[in-house]
Amino acid sequence: MNVIRLIRPTAEYSNDIWAYRREFLENSIDEDMGGCGKLRECSSAEEWLSQVEALTNPETCPEGMITADTYIAVRSCDNKIVGITDIRHNLNTPVLKEWGGHIGYCVRPDERRKDYAKEMLRLNLDNGRRLGLKRIMVSCNVNNIASERTILANGGVFERETEDGSGHRIKLYWIEL
């Protein structure tokens, strides 16, 4: 695995953000793109950048949403986005408390099976420590073995299995910071 770093998304990365989105859509990947906010629904990278920036501050966070920080995982050797991850500052909504969790992450389809998800989660746990969180809830689809391994590799302890709002079975884990 090449070295990656988590950085806040900026307009400098607009073309690569949009290529990231297009790669999911063109490959008919119907996963939810966890950690990417509403990237799938946005009409431009600039719209998405504006949305994720609004979430960072309680004064600009849209009503019904939770403050969160979104990061792009950038490979150091070529400055390519290999993934996107976010961390929610709290779990103050029923969805997040029941099955959403603090951290979402998603790896670009052509960059999978290179341990980037494991490193993204590890780096984002450091962000949780900076936020003052004592433990982090992370979830994955019961059939997503790769994500489950990522969570376990970062100290995840299984709590329970539940169902999300769409009828999918979800596994919940806690990671002590």
Side-chain angles (χ1 to χ4, degrees), residues 76-120:
S76 296
C77 68
D78 61 2
N79 216 31
K80 179 182 179 181
I81 296 172
V82 297
I84 299 177
T85 184
D86 66 0
I87 184 164
R88 294 136 198 144
H89 298 181
N90 60 62
L91 300 179
N92 292 341
T93 70
V95 167
L96 293 178
K97 283 180 188 174
E98 290 302 313
W99 55 267
H102 287 97
I103 293 177
Y105 51 87
C106 189
V107 175
R108 195 176 200 139
D110 67 346
E111 297 295 342
R112 292 185 175 173
R113 294 190 164 92
K114 299 178 182 176
D115 284 337
Y116 289 129
K118 187 187 313 180
E119 182 66 359
M120 288 167 52

Side-chain angles (χ1 to χ4, degrees), residues 23-77:
E23 193 172 312
F24 276 89
L25 298 179
E26 288 175 355
N27 288 300
S28 300
I29 295 175
D30 61 352
E31 61 192 63
D32 68 357
M33 293 174 67
C36 296
K38 297 184 183 285
L39 180 59
R40 183 183 291 276
E41 292 85 25
C42 287
S43 59
S44 68
E46 292 73 23
E47 178 185 357
W48 181 74
L49 289 166
S50 177
Q51 286 182 4
V52 298
E53 179 60 30
L55 291 174
T56 65
N57 187 319
E59 285 85 43
T60 58
C61 186
E63 189 172 331
M65 300 292 288
I66 295 293
T67 52
D69 296 309
T70 302
Y71 300 92
I72 52 177
V74 177
R75 187 169 45 214
S76 296
C77 68

